[in-house]
Amino acid sequence: GKWKNKERVLIFSSRGINFRTRHLMQDLRTLMPHSKADTKMDRKDQLFVINEVCEMKNCNKCIFFEAKKKQDLYMWLSNTPQGPSAKFLVQNVHTLAELKMTGNCLRGSRPLLSFDPIFDREPHYALLKELFIQIFGTPQYHPKSQPFVDHVFTFTITDERIWFRNYQIIEEDASLVEIGPRFVLNLIKIFQGSFGGPTLYENPHYQSPNMHRRLIRLSVAAKFREKQQVKEVQKIKKKGTKVLVEEDPTEVVFETPAEEKPVEIQLVKPESKPIVKDKKKLRKIQRKKQKKLFRTEG
């Protein structure tokens, strides 16, 4: 058949990504035969420059990974150059090599796309569903694709986030085995244009990583402050005046007074003991004196 649906997806990133993001990007390129690669974009450049890059690469879809602070990863999915585009925060990334799961799906085969029923209920999820279909779905009769369907891309919504999983279809009993990669997308905004424009939807449940880290620091500081206050209260209690307890009259009931002995006053001075000199010491001293005399005479 003829290759009619000529979707081409440009997958690249900004500078400053870590090794896990780089491996995830490489995994998506291997799973999507209709993708193209490009060099990393400088962080100083504006995002609308990506539209020109896609035009030069003859691509009409784009997956752009944006790294910030060397720890936060954002993913842009865009339909260039008209739009719309969506920005996500990527969390819990696990690559193919990291998972080490059993699986042997054919490289370049076309995937099935499985979506959660919630995607059909709300309008912003319906828009994202169409964007996912056009980006992740391999066109039929693509020159680099294989005419087989042996794995499934699943998009499920749990805890206000989109969970991406990749499963292989086993021929014997049609059971599914996860082969990776896997990641979680937390929606931030949907824009009307490509990498900008009016905001169509903003996620009210989204919390920025900076705010999340700030709340963690505040909770730790509050615990430390509470411990310090407890220590100060204990010090004040120790320094405070002790309350005197009144004597209990029943405590002395079973005490029997001891007999008082008469006090004897000694008026006469005690006799001193006679000093007994050691006779052996005197003999030793005399011997030493005699030895000295003999030595001087000699």
Side-chain angles (χ1 to χ4, degrees):
K2 291 184 179 180
W3 176 32
K4 295 179 181 179
N5 181 20
K6 297 190 177 183
E7 296 281 355
R8 298 182 183 88
V9 183
L10 180 65
I11 302 176
F12 72 119
S13 68
S14 65
R15 296 193 181 278
I17 61 171
N18 55 10
F19 69 97
R20 185 175 279 112
T21 308
R22 188 171 65 252
H23 284 278
L24 173 66
M25 189 168 55
Q26 193 61 37
D27 292 343
L28 290 177
R29 286 172 183 168
T30 55
L31 290 172
M32 299 164 63
H34 60 294
S35 64
K36 288 188 177 182
D38 195 22
T39 56
K40 293 179 182 177
M41 195 180 78
D42 197 356
R43 283 182 287 185
K44 294 180 182 178
D45 297 337
Q46 298 295 328
L47 291 177
F48 61 82
V49 180
I50 300 173
N51 296 324
E52 299 176 4
V53 177
C54 292
E55 189 178 354
M56 287 189 291
K57 288 283 183 177
N58 197 17
C59 297
N60 53 358
K61 299 289 185 297
C62 180
I63 299 177
F64 178 67
F65 292 95
E66 185 181 8
K68 290 184 179 180
K69 293 188 176 181
K70 295 185 179 180
Q71 55 183 344
D72 301 330
L73 178 64
Y74 298 92
M75 179 192 284
W76 286 83
L77 300 179
S78 175
N79 178 27
T80 57
Q82 291 87 12
S85 60
K87 185 180 181 181
F88 301 91
L89 174 68
V90 186
Q91 299 171 329
N92 301 334
V93 176
H94 297 279
T95 59
L96 278 168
E98 189 179 2
L99 289 173
K100 294 181 181 178
M101 292 181 175
T102 56
N104 190 21
C105 70
L106 188 65
R107 180 170 180 172
S109 60
R110 300 178 64 216
L112 290 174
L113 300 181
S114 173
F115 291 93
D116 197 281
I118 304 175
F119 277 97
D120 297 326
R121 297 174 191 168
E122 300 186 16
H124 61 280
Y125 282 136
L127 178 61
L128 291 177
K129 178 181 178 181
E130 185 63 30
L131 198 61
F132 288 146
I133 290 171
Q134 294 183 15
I135 290 175
F136 290 97
T138 303
Q140 194 176 10
Y141 305 117
H142 191 277
K144 292 183 181 179
S145 67
Q146 301 290 337
F148 301 103
V149 178
D150 59 355
H151 64 286
V152 184
F153 288 162
T154 61
F155 299 89
T156 55
I157 297 172
T158 307
D159 195 19
E160 304 295 335
R161 290 170 175 81
I162 301 171
W163 300 64
F164 176 87
R165 295 288 185 271
N166 182 22
Y167 297 95
Q168 180 190 350
I169 304 171
I170 299 175
E171 294 181 2
E172 286 79 7
D173 53 352
S175 60
L176 299 178
V177 177
E178 188 177 357
I179 58 176
R182 58 161 72 166
F183 52 87
V184 180
L185 299 176
N186 190 0
L187 178 63
I188 302 173
K189 283 184 181 182
I190 300 175
F191 299 96
Q192 185 177 354
S194 177
F195 296 98
T199 303
L200 297 178
Y201 176 78
E202 186 174 358
N203 187 7
H205 306 284
Y206 171 71
Q207 188 182 57
S208 66
N210 292 331
M211 182 61 68
H212 182 66
R213 287 189 287 267
R214 182 173 176 271
L215 291 175
I216 290 172
R217 288 196 300 269
L218 287 174
S219 64
V220 173
K223 287 181 182 178
F224 179 75
R225 223 178 291 117
E226 188 177 353
K227 286 182 180 179
Q228 292 294 103
Q229 288 174 358
V230 170
K231 287 182 181 178
E232 288 177 1
V233 170
Q234 289 175 353
K235 286 180 181 178
I236 292 167
K237 284 182 179 179
K238 287 179 181 178
K239 289 180 181 178
T241 55
K242 295 182 179 179
V243 180
L244 295 173
V245 183
E246 295 180 358
E247 292 183 0
D248 190 4
T250 59
E251 288 182 357
V252 201
V253 172
F254 297 100
E255 288 184 3
T256 54
E259 295 179 358
E260 294 182 357
K261 294 180 179 180
V263 181
E264 295 179 358
I265 300 170
Q266 194 172 1
L267 301 173
V268 183
K269 185 179 178 182
E271 296 178 357
S272 59
K273 292 180 181 180
I275 299 168
V276 180
K277 292 184 179 180
D278 193 1
K279 295 179 179 179
K280 291 182 181 180
K281 285 185 179 181
L282 293 171
R283 290 173 186 173
K284 287 179 182 179
I285 293 167
Q286 288 175 1
R287 285 174 189 171
K288 285 181 181 179
K289 287 180 180 180
Q290 287 176 4
K291 286 180 182 179
K292 284 183 181 180
L293 289 171
F294 286 130
R295 286 173 187 171
T296 50
E297 288 175 3

